[in-house]
Amino acid sequence: MSVQTTVLENGRWVTRNVDPYHVRAQNTETPRKEQSQPSISLPKTPSLGILTKTLVRSSVINRIIPARIRHKTKNDVLFISANAVTIKEAKGDYTIGQIAIKSDFDSTIKSARIIGERRELTKHDDSYKMLKREEDDIHTYKDNDFDNKGELPDHTALYRRELPPHILVLALESNKLVFLCAVSGKSEHPELLWSQKALPAPTSPLQGLGDLIAVDPKSRAMAVAAHEGRAYVYALNSMIEMRAEFKEKSRLGPIKEEKLILMDGRILKMEFLHPPEDESNRIILLLIIARDHQSQLIWYDWNADMPLHQSQWKPNKMPLHPDEQMPLLLIPLMKNTAFILVCEKRMVLIKDILTGDFHRFFHRLAAEQEPQEPGISGRRPIWVQWARPMRSKRLRPNEDNVLLCREDGIVQYMVIDPGIEGMIDSNHNVGKLGVNINTSFATVDLGVKTEDLLVAGGDESDGCLWDFPSRKTGPNQRGTIPNWTPINDFAVAKVPIDRQNAGSPAAANNASTGQQRLFACCGRGKHGAISELRYGIEASKKISTVDLGDKLSNGVLGIWALHGFYGNVGEQDKQSQRPKDVTYIIVSHPLRTYLLRLRRKGDQDLVDDDVGLPEYDPELVGHDVGLDLNGRTVAAGRTARGLTIQITETSLRATSLPKPPLPNDTRSKEEDIEERKAEKSQLDAETPQTYQFGDSRILAACIHTTAHNTITVMAAQRNEKFYLEFGIFDAQYQPLIERITLRAHPSCLSLLEMEDEILVLVGTLAGDLEIYLPGDIGSGLLTPSPTIRHAFDGPFGICDSIATIARTTKKGVQPFLVCGLRDGTVETLSLSKGVGTYHMSLCEKLAFGHTSVTVFKDTTTNRVIIHCENALCTLQYPQKDGNAPAIVLNVWITDPSEPSLQQGKISAISQVVDSWLVRGSPGFVAGSFVCIDGDLLHTIYLDSQPNMVPRRLKLDGTPVRVLYSIHLEKLIVLHNNFQVLRAARKIDGLGNVPGKRAVRPMISFLDSDIEPVTALDPDAMDVDNVEKPNDNRALIISECKPGEKCLGISEWLPKVGGNECHMLVINTMLTRAHKSGGRLLFFAITEGRKNQPPKLVTQKTIDTDEPVYSVAIYPDKSLVYCSGNDLYIQSLGLADASRINWQAPIKIAMRSPGRHLTVTEPYIYVSSSRESVSIYRYDAGQLVYQCGDQSARNGLHHLHLPSQSLVLASDTSDTVVGLWQPPERRIDNAMTTVFEAVLPGSITRLRRIDRPIWSHDPFISLTSNGNKSVSSSIPGDEVILGSSADGTLTQMSILSSIEWRLLRFIQNMAERHRFICPFHPANPHKRHIEPSGARPHHMHINGDILERMVDRGGESLLNEMLDVEPDHGSHTDFGSKEERRERFDELAKEVLKDAEDGEVLSRLVLWLRYQLRSAL
C-alpha cells in the first residue's frame, strides 16, 4: 500500500509514492524531549487589500449607431464599446460633441441595436432653429454673478417629457437585455431612462443569448440569438403604446411577449427582411445556420397581427453555394424582400425568397485592388461593415443606397434599383479613408442640403470623421477619433515640458516635482506611433497659429482679445453679405503696449473643406487708433455699446477700434488712414475719449460690464498712499470724487457682484486679501463698510490674481474666491454673508509650481483657468456636494493637422471678448481663448468635459518596446518596419505567384517633444545630406538576420574597472529551419553630431538555442536573461586595463519560459508562462530557487513592492494577485496570496506613477468644518498603473486592513443599491454586508462602484444605504438598521481617528474622494 505525497528534493517540491506505515513509524520515534521544544514563531501573513478603478476606458469602439435617443431634434451618435455607451451629438459643421457616458453595466456588452420609429431624413427647417434659439435664451446674461433669487426659465416647456423616437437595446454578458434612452426633464442634463429583462441562463458557453440581435424594420419584433442552438423572438409594443405607458406609469416596457426557437447548428448571421409592399403586416426573420460543414438559409415568417403563441412557424431552408459558406455581411434591402451576402471573393444578391421562385444575382466587388498595407499581413483585407446613408425619396422613391467598408479603409458605394434585373444600378469605389477600420462604421445624416458624415472607429489606428458628397468620390477628412490601442508597452517618465529651458532651475524643478508623462507603444504598420497618454480638457485650435516673433512675445505682462465684425451687419443672415470678423489682441509689456489685428485671409467660408485650420493675417497696428500704445496696459475691456476701454498707468482711453481694409483694397497707406478715420466715426458716433489720472499712478484695475453700464475700479498710488478709485461709463466716463484708502500696496484687483452688492477684492503685498464694500457705485455715492481681511501664510503668500466661481448646493449658491499666490500655490476661500458683513474661510490649498500663479474665470462656464510655469489647468467644484474638493484638470492644446503638437510654457492667456451686435450674434471664436506659447499665438476653444487627449509621435513601423533613458533624456523605441520585397503577381503558365515581405527591426531615439522622421541607415550617418538633420531619425538595426524578430530592449550601464559603459541590449527570436533560436545583441551608445541621433556600435552578440524572451539588469555589472526554459546571469569582468572580459554565464532550469524579469538585489523575480511568479536568489556565484506562487497561473507581468514585501502579478485570466514574499525561505517554498482582483481584461504592464502635484497638498487639506484635517493618514501620492492591450488603464493602490474593511462594508451595501449598481448580478454570497477576508478575491475593492456612489449622491446616498431596513427573508448580518449603522460608525472611526459623531459621513465621503484621486 502506498500514497502520494509531496517531498522536498534538491530545493524543489516533487510528488512521490511513500508507505504510510513507514511515515507513521518515523513520527512515533521522535524523541520526547525534541517534541517538547517550543515551536518557532513564523512571520504572519499581512492582511492587505487592493483598490482598483478604471482610470481610462478602452478606446476600442465596437459599434457606431446613429439614433435620436434624446429627442427628435437631436442628431445623436452612439459609440458602443466593450462596457460603456457614449452618447455624442453630430453637428452641422461635421463635428461630434460628447453628451453623456453610461458605464455602470458591470458586464461586457455583447451586441446592440435600435428599436423605435423608422429613421427619416433630417429637415433643417425653421422649427429646429427656433428650438435651438430658445435653448440658448435659457442661458441669458444676468447682472449678478451670484444671485440666489434669480431663476432660470423652465425649459421643460421646450421638450415635453416623453420618449424619444429611438431606444437602444443592449445584450450583456450577464444574461440581461437593457433598454436605454434619454428623457428631457427638469435637470440641465437629459435623464437616462432604462429597463432590463433577464435572459434564460445558458446551458453551455455557446448557448448564451445576446451574441446576435436583429430588429424588424418597423420595430414590431426583435430576435435575440446565441451562437448555437436557440433564439428568442420578442413581440414589441409600438412607440404609441410605450409613450402612453411611460406617461401613465413612468415606466419603459418594450416587450409584449416572447417565443423560443430551437435549431440545430451554429448561427452565423441573423436579420429581419423588409416585407413585400402588398403584405406589410408580414414579419420575416432570416438566419444563416452552419451545420456539418454546410451553411444554409433558414427563414421564418408570420403575421404581425397575431400573437406569437398562436403563430404557426415552419422553417424554410435553402442551401448556400460553396463559395458562400461563411458570409462576411448580411445586408437586407428595402424592396422585393431582397438581401445581399458579402463574401470574401464575391457578392450575391437574392430576392423574392417568399414566392418560392427566388432569384440570385452575382456581382463582383468593385474594390479589387491591392491592400493598402500589403506588408502588414499575408492575407487580403476583408469587408467588415456596411451602412445605409439617408436619401430623399422625392425623386427616386424606390432607390436603396449601401456603403461597404473594408478593414483597410476602402469604401464602396452601391445604388440598388429594383426596377432593373440585377437590382444593382451602380457599384464603385468612393475613396480611401486612410485608416484601419473594424465593425465601427456608420453614416450620419445632417440634413437635405448637407453632405453625409462618415464616422469610423479605428482598428489599431485613429478613427476619423469625413464628409461624404452624395454620388461623388473623395471623402474629405473633418476630424479624428483618438485610438491608442493596442498598448504593447508603456513607459513613465518625468520629462520637462518646456524643452527650450531644459537646463534652467525651473525646468529642473519641473522634472523633479512636476507631473509624470506616459508614453505608450500603439498602432500597427504605418499607423504605428508612440502615444503620450494625456487626460484632461482638450483645447482645440480654431485658427492657424500666428508667429509673433521675439518683439511681441518676450516680457509679456498680459493680453486681452477683443473680437468683432465689419461689413454689412444688417444683412448678416445672407451668405453673400456675411460680415467679416476681426480680432484685436492687446499685448502689454513693461514699457509699452502692442496692438495686433488678426483677420481672415481671402474670402474663406466659416467651414473649410478639409481638416486644415483657417488662416489669419496678423498685422501690427502702429498708427493712432485711440489707444495709448506708449505705456503699460493695466486692464482692458468693452462696454455694452461696443467701445473698447484701455486703462494704463496714467490714463483711461475709450474708443471704437477701426475695421481693417477689404482684401481687394489697393489704396495707398495715406488714403487708407484717412478712410479708417471716417469708417471709425461711422462705426460709433462717439469720438475717442481720454481721461488723465493726474498725479496718480494706476497699479491695478478691473472693468466690470453689465447690460446697463460699465464700472471701473482702480488701485492707485498718490504720494506714497494707496487708494481705490471708481468710475462709471455710460455715454461718457464719469469718475467718482470719493475714494477708499488702502492699507498696503495693492498687488491685484477684482470685482464681484453678489446679491445686489458690489464687493471689491484687493490683494496686497502685505500678504492679505481685503474685501471692500463701497456701496451703490451706480448712484455715484460711496458708503464704505468695514474691511474684511484674510491673511495668507508664508513669506511669498502674496495674491497676484483673483477669480470667482460658485457651487450650487441645497443651502443655495456658495461663492468661492480662487487666489493665485506668488509661491506657486492656489488658495480657495469660501465667502459667506453674515449679518451686515461677509466672512471668508480657507477651504483648500493646491500647489502648481514654484512661481506666481495666474487665475481668471471662464465666462462661458463655472470654472477657473490656471496657468503656472508649464501647467495650464482648469479648476471647478462639483455641484450639490458642499464638501467635495476641487477638480483640477490639465488643458492640452491640440491641432487637427498636427497630432504631435506639444505645447510649451504659456506666458499669457485671455478669453476673447465678443463685440456687441444686434441680437447678440457671436463670432466664430466666441467663448474661445488666446494664449502666447513661446513666440506663438494660439486661438483655442476649451471643451466642457474631460477626455483622453493623446498626442502621437508617428513611427515608420509597429512599436514593440519603449523606455525612457535618463542618461540620454530621450525615449528609446524598438519598432518593426514591414516591407514588401516582391509583390504578388500572375505569370503565364504558373498562375498566381505569392509575394514576399520582410520585417526590418528599427530603433529610434526620440526627443519626446519633436516629431520623428524617416529611417536612416547607420552606415550613411556621416554623409552630408541636403535635408535638415534631425536627432529623431530611426536607425535600422543592420545586425539583425532575415526573419529575426526583436522582443525587447534594455539599457545597461555596467561599471567595470571604475568606468561606466553605456550599452543597449536587444533580445531577439530567430526562426531557423525546424528550430527556433535567439540572440542577445549588445550595442555601445556614443553621442552623434549635433542634431543627429546617437551612434550604435556593436560590442558583442550571444547566440542561444532558444528565443530570448526577457532581459533584466543585475547590479552592478551583470545581466539576467531568460532563454527558453533556462534562466541565465551574465557578468562582466576586467581582463586587463583596456579589455572587458565576458564571463561564462550561470544557468538554472525553470519549468516554463520567463516572460518578464526584474531584479531587487539579491533576488530575481520571474513571471513565467505557467508558474506565475518565481523568485531566485543569486548567492555565491549560484542561482538558487527561493520561492514561488503556490498556484499555477499563466503569468504576464509583475511589479515588486518592497515596502509591503509584496509582488503584484498579472496573468492571462484577467486577474491581478498580491503575493507575499516571506523574509526567510519557508519549507514549502510558497508565496501566500494576500489578495486577488478580477478585472475586465488582462493587465499586460504594471508601472508606478505619481499623482500630479496639485492632487495632494502638503500644507492643508480640504475640510468639512474648516479646522480639521480629512484623516490621520492622507493616502500616498504614488499609485500603480496597469495597462491592457485594449487601451484600458487601471489605477491600483494597496489598502491596510482597516481601510479595506471599511471600504468593503460600503461596497457590499452599494452592490445592493439599484441606483449605484443597477445591473450588478445578485449572487448569494454578496448578501453579506459584514466584510469577510476568507478568500483572496474578497480583498478586492472595486473603485468604480465607490466612485459612482460618491458622484451620484455622496453623503446623502451613503446615509440612504445605512437607513435601509434589513431583508429578513434573506441571509443578512444585521437584525436592524441601527446595528448596521453602529458597525459602520465603528469601522469609520478606526480610519478617521478624530472624527466626531456628527461629521462621520461628511468626513468619510471626503476621505473617499482622496482615495479615488486620479493619477492623470
Side-chain angles (χ1 to χ4, degrees), residues 614-732:
E615 294 185 358
Y616 272 62
D617 278 328
E619 178 188 359
L620 190 62
V621 180
H623 53 80
D624 183 18
V625 291
L627 299 181
D628 182 6
L629 303 181
N630 296 319
R632 176 177 71 93
T633 299
V634 179
R638 256 202 186 122
T639 68
R641 299 174 61 86
L643 289 179
T644 298
I645 298 180
Q646 179 202 23
I647 300 176
T648 66
E649 293 181 338
T650 59
S651 64
L652 181 146
R653 301 287 183 99
T655 183
S656 295
L657 293 177
K659 69 177 184 179
L662 297 176
N664 56 359
D665 199 343
T666 58
R667 293 169 297 181
S668 64
K669 182 176 180 180
E670 291 77 10
E671 295 174 340
D672 183 33
I673 293 176
E674 295 298 325
E675 183 67 21
R676 286 174 184 172
K677 293 180 180 179
E679 290 171 348
K680 185 173 65 173
S681 61
Q682 293 174 6
L683 288 175
D684 196 286
E686 303 172 27
T687 59
Q689 303 178 35
T690 302
Y691 179 83
Q692 299 292 336
F693 296 119
D695 56 350
S696 297
R697 186 169 72 94
I698 305 302
L699 304 177
C702 66
I703 301 170
H704 184 71
T705 299
T706 67
H708 307 291
N709 57 19
T710 299
I711 299 173
T712 63
V713 182
M714 294 158 287
Q717 180 182 9
R718 178 180 298 177
N719 298 327
E720 298 183 357
K721 292 186 178 181
F722 307 101
Y723 302 93
L724 279 181
E725 298 184 354
F726 301 87
I728 303 174
F729 202 108
D730 189 6
Q732 298 288 331

Side-chain angles (χ1 to χ4, degrees), residues 20 26 42 80 118 124 128 182 254 365 386 458 471 475 497 559 758 770 814 843 847 925 1187 1205 1213 1266 1376:
Q26 285 184 335
L42 297 176
I80 314 297
R118 190 168 181 173
H124 283 181
Y128 180 83
L365 295 171
W386 66 279
R471 302 178 186 274
I497 296 181
I559 59 172
I758 291 180
E770 298 179 346
Q814 174 63 56
C843 288
V925 291
C1187 56
S1205 298
S1213 301
S1376 64

